[in-house]
């Protein structure tokens, strides 16, 4: 293995991670959990509160959260259409909490798996775990893309970024996560 996912057959995958790679992934996922926030009822996750909780009706003000939890209707680049805004708010009210919970569980799965690795080694994922990892890696890439203001047009330019650019560490993480995500997709397709 060369630091990317490889197929283990049957929709599973494996990757060899060193301590630094595992630590970076874990740290990014912990930051994702902090960004997403606790579920309904607080950190303890009161099941009764979660059952009757309704989500927000307005888009998050943080650009990363707005990308992770986008409006369901309307064109974000067009002037606000009152009907689309109302429909998006209603959709968000009934779906955002579940979407946040799924993203939280995906991040927690990555953290638990990395903790089980104990630093460095070969990480083996079964099919359901691969899907959670794909979701978690995708969320991390979206978050970094927003923070770095990456567009499709300038993504190739990231490879030529000078070492003196202060964005370089985040760009390297963004590109690495993309390679992990792509290799995981290829591994589970085999």
């Amino acid at each position: 293995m060369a630091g990317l996912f490889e197929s283990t057959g049957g929709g599973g995958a494996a990757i060899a991670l060193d301590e630094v790679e595992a630590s970076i992934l874990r740290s990014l996922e912990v930051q994702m959990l902090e960004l997403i926030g606790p579920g309904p009822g607080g950190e303890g996750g009161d099941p009764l509160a979660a059952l009757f909780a309704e989500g927000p009706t307005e888009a998050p003000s943080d650009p990363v959260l707005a990308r992770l939890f986008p409006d369901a209707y309307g064109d974000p680049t067009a002037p606000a259409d009152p009907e689309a805004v109302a429909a998006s708010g209603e959709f968000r009210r009934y779906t955002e909490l579940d979407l946040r919970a799924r993203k939280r569980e995906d991040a927690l799965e990555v953290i638990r798996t990395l903790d089980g690795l104990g630093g460095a080694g070969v990480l083996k994922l079964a099919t359901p775990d691969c899907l959670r990892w794909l979701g978690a890696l995708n969320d991390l890439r979206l978050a970094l893309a927003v923070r770095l203001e990456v567009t499709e047009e300038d993504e190739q330019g990231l490879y030529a970024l000078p070492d003196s650019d202060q964005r370089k560490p985040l760009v390297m993480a963004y590109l690495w996560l993309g390679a992990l995500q792509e290799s995981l997709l290829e591994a589970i397709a085999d």
Side-chain angles (χ1 to χ4, degrees):
M1 268 179 251
L4 297 175
F5 283 97
E6 293 182 8
S7 176
T8 58
I15 185 170
L17 294 172
D18 64 29
E19 285 185 45
V20 172
E21 293 166 330
S23 177
I24 290 170
L25 271 176
R26 189 181 191 291
S27 175
L28 289 171
E29 290 300 349
V30 167
Q31 291 175 53
M32 181 61 68
L33 285 174
E34 291 170 357
L35 182 65
I36 293 170
E43 207 56 51
D46 177 3
L48 190 59
L51 184 62
F52 294 105
E54 289 185 4
T57 57
E58 294 185 16
S61 59
D62 182 315
V64 172
L65 289 175
R67 182 66 180 100
L68 292 173
F69 307 105
D71 281 336
Y73 305 101
D75 179 357
T77 62
D81 171 15
E83 287 182 24
V85 169
S88 289
E90 193 69 6
F91 184 80
R92 180 180 301 282
R93 185 171 124 198
Y94 294 112
T95 60
E96 186 170 315
L97 293 180
D98 287 339
L99 185 55
R100 281 181 185 263
R102 197 202 82 232
K103 290 181 181 299
R104 198 177 299 109
E105 282 302 315
D106 289 349
L108 283 169
E109 177 62 30
V110 171
I111 291 168
R112 286 184 203 112
T113 307
L114 291 170
D115 287 350
L117 186 61
V122 176
L123 189 70
K124 294 183 180 180
L125 303 175
T127 305
D129 300 328
C130 289
L131 298 178
R132 288 198 173 256
W133 270 70
L134 274 174
L137 291 172
N138 186 60
D139 290 343
L140 288 175
R141 284 200 74 224
L142 286 174
L144 286 174
V146 170
R147 293 288 190 240
L148 291 167
E149 299 177 349
V150 174
T151 64
E152 286 183 38
E153 294 81 37
D154 68 3
E155 188 167 323
Q156 286 300 322
L158 295 177
Y159 291 97
L161 208 60
D163 290 340
S164 60
D165 193 309
Q166 63 184 351
R167 299 173 301 156
K168 185 80 174 201
L170 285 180
V171 167
M172 296 303 295
Y174 172 79
L175 295 172
W176 177 57
L177 291 168
L180 289 179
Q181 188 177 16
E182 184 178 346
S183 68
L184 182 53
L185 276 169
E186 289 172 359
I188 62 176
D190 283 350

